[in-house]
Amino acid sequence: MKDARESEAGEAAISPTMQHVFGPVPSRRLGMSLGIDPVPLKTCNHSCVYCQLGRTRRLARERAPFFDVADILCEVAHVVEGPKGGGIDWITFVGSGETTLASNLGLMIRGVKTMSDLPVAVITNGSLLHLADVRDELQAADAVLPSLDAGSAGLYRKINRPPRELGFEDHVRGLVEFRRAYRGELWVEVMLLGGVNDTEAALQDLAAVLQRVAPDEIHLATPTRPPAEPSVVPPGPDGLDRAAAVLGRVARVLRPVHVDGTMTAGEDAVAAVQAIISRHPLEESEIKGLLTRWVPGRVEEAWAELTEREEIRSVDRFGKRFWCAGDMEFPRQDRTAGR
């Protein structure tokens, strides 16, 4: 029989370092979601004004296999087969940028489906659905959650800020063509911005486009995490009500959820928090709440250790302080003093 030290050494040798898989964390749409990030921060073909990951420094124009499929599947298996596996509702591909820019995404989805009966979701901005290979790769997912924030080319450019070659009509055409072939759940998210796309005219344009797409559900969201641009504000209550009325019976408002990630015995609480906020910025009070639950006897010590790390930074929005990855780009004038 192996002694305890040999057993622990063996387990450490085969336990992967989590580089691409995080959580499970609560999702407004998917319950407890185990996230899979198939692209580097911030690899995106949009630079949305509301993005919680900050501005896109360089818009991506080509798909690529950024990470090895086997490495990602090894991380997924480690979590699904471990203590956290029983608390997962969905396995979700959600990138630190645009998920479908990973050209091996289809291989990852099919690989995950072979190792688990859990449903698989893909969160995407929807901009590449006009490509047949992207539509084919997503057929294996149980739910696809694309975005559509505008019903006109002008607002599309203003809100999502894509490269010149990505046109509004291509975006819409991709959604329509994907809907025709896809047999899973198609849930379109609309991010509502105060004074931008929450007006009666903007919502009527959006409703006309969504009628062509015919999604199973329309999810109405408002910015609750730090938006890239400080000018972004949520709509008022009347904006949400107006949107729900205009967009019809399949529209529902997404309510904010409280972050309550899980941590297994022996896991480093500070590292666990850093892993979450590197992809999912958290309000300062949320982080302290996690530390209070995870390390109740050393909250201040853990907080000091966390905030001294160069890999993270703070940003102020909506009169609140959030913490995120240190290399996320937010406007200079909004950087907090003392960091």
Side-chain angles (χ1 to χ4, degrees):
M1 177 181 292
K2 295 180 179 180
D3 65 29
R5 287 175 298 175
E6 183 180 357
S7 176
E8 289 173 2
E11 289 176 2
I14 63 174
S15 296
T17 300
M18 293 296 157
Q19 299 292 329
H20 314 291
V21 174
F22 60 98
V25 293
S27 163
R28 291 191 282 187
R29 295 178 282 180
L30 300 167
M32 292 302 294
S33 169
L34 181 68
I36 303 174
D37 188 353
V39 299
L41 181 76
K42 180 189 181 190
T43 305
C44 198
N45 52 11
H46 281 177
S47 185
C48 299
V49 296
Y50 60 78
C51 185
Q52 67 177 9
L53 303 181
R55 292 174 175 173
T56 305
R57 292 187 177 96
R58 183 177 180 181
L59 294 173
R61 286 172 161 81
E62 301 291 335
R63 303 184 76 207
F66 299 102
F67 303 118
D68 186 76
V69 174
D71 290 343
I72 288 180
L73 295 182
C74 180
E75 291 185 27
V76 174
H78 179 71
V79 179
V80 170
E81 296 168 5
K84 296 182 181 180
I88 300 171
D89 297 311
W90 285 79
I91 297 176
T92 308
F93 287 88
V94 52
S96 293
E98 171 44 33
T99 313
T100 61
L101 283 167
S103 60
N104 49 6
L105 179 62
L107 293 174
M108 296 181 202
I109 295 172
R110 292 193 295 273
V112 168
K113 297 288 286 184
T114 64
M115 69 172 61
S116 172
D117 293 329
L118 289 166
V120 172
V122 177
I123 296 177
T124 169
N125 64 24
S127 62
L128 297 184
L129 289 174
H130 67 280
L131 301 176
D133 55 342
V134 173
R135 296 196 301 272
D136 290 343
E137 290 171 22
L138 296 184
Q139 296 299 321
D142 298 285
V144 175
L145 290 68
S147 298
L148 183 66
D149 305 313
S152 66
L155 272 186
Y156 173 65
R157 293 279 166 196
K158 181 177 181 178
I159 296 171
N160 303 123
R161 302 188 295 193
R164 185 176 303 172
E165 63 270 20
L166 277 181
F168 175 69
E169 284 304 324
D170 283 338
H171 190 119
V172 174
R173 176 172 56 82
L175 288 168
V176 172
E177 292 185 3
F178 181 68
R179 170 75 287 178
R180 288 173 182 161
Y182 184 56
R183 295 295 173 259
E185 292 290 314
L186 182 65
W187 303 334
V188 174
E189 177 175 294
V190 178
M191 182 64 75
L192 291 172
L193 310 178
V196 181
N197 62 348
D198 64 339
T199 66
E200 183 73 24
L203 291 169
Q204 290 291 350
D205 288 343
L206 186 56
V209 174
L210 287 169
Q211 188 172 17
R212 293 169 55 192
V213 178
D216 296 292
E217 294 182 7
I218 300 167
H219 296 164
L220 305 179
T222 59
T224 58
R225 300 292 166 191
E229 305 303 331
S231 60
V232 170
V233 295
D238 57 330
L240 277 172
D241 294 340
R242 181 168 55 247
V246 171
L247 298 180
R249 62 179 181 82
V250 297
R252 67 183 183 92
V253 175
L254 299 181
R255 304 297 179 187
V257 296
H258 180 70
V259 174
D260 187 18
T262 59
M263 188 179 72
T264 54
E267 191 174 356
D268 182 341
V270 173
V273 170
Q274 182 179 326
I276 295 174
I277 64 178
S278 66
R279 298 178 176 90
H280 186 80
L282 295 180
E283 190 180 340
E284 190 166 298
S285 62
E286 292 179 293
I287 298 173
K288 290 185 176 179
L290 289 176
L291 293 175
T292 298
R293 287 191 293 278
W294 290 351
V295 285
R298 51 182 297 268
V299 174
E300 293 304 318
E301 178 186 346
W303 174 254
E305 180 184 343
L306 178 70
T307 54
E308 288 172 1
R309 295 192 174 195
E310 295 182 356
E311 296 88 351
I312 70 168
R313 55 160 295 193
S314 61
V315 60
D316 290 345
R317 290 290 190 267
F318 313 136
K320 302 175 182 178
R321 176 161 295 181
F322 297 86
W323 291 82
C324 61
D327 53 357
M328 291 180 184
E329 181 174 335
F330 291 86
R332 183 176 298 277
Q333 67 268 26
D334 198 61
R335 292 178 187 264
T336 56
R339 278 292 296 160

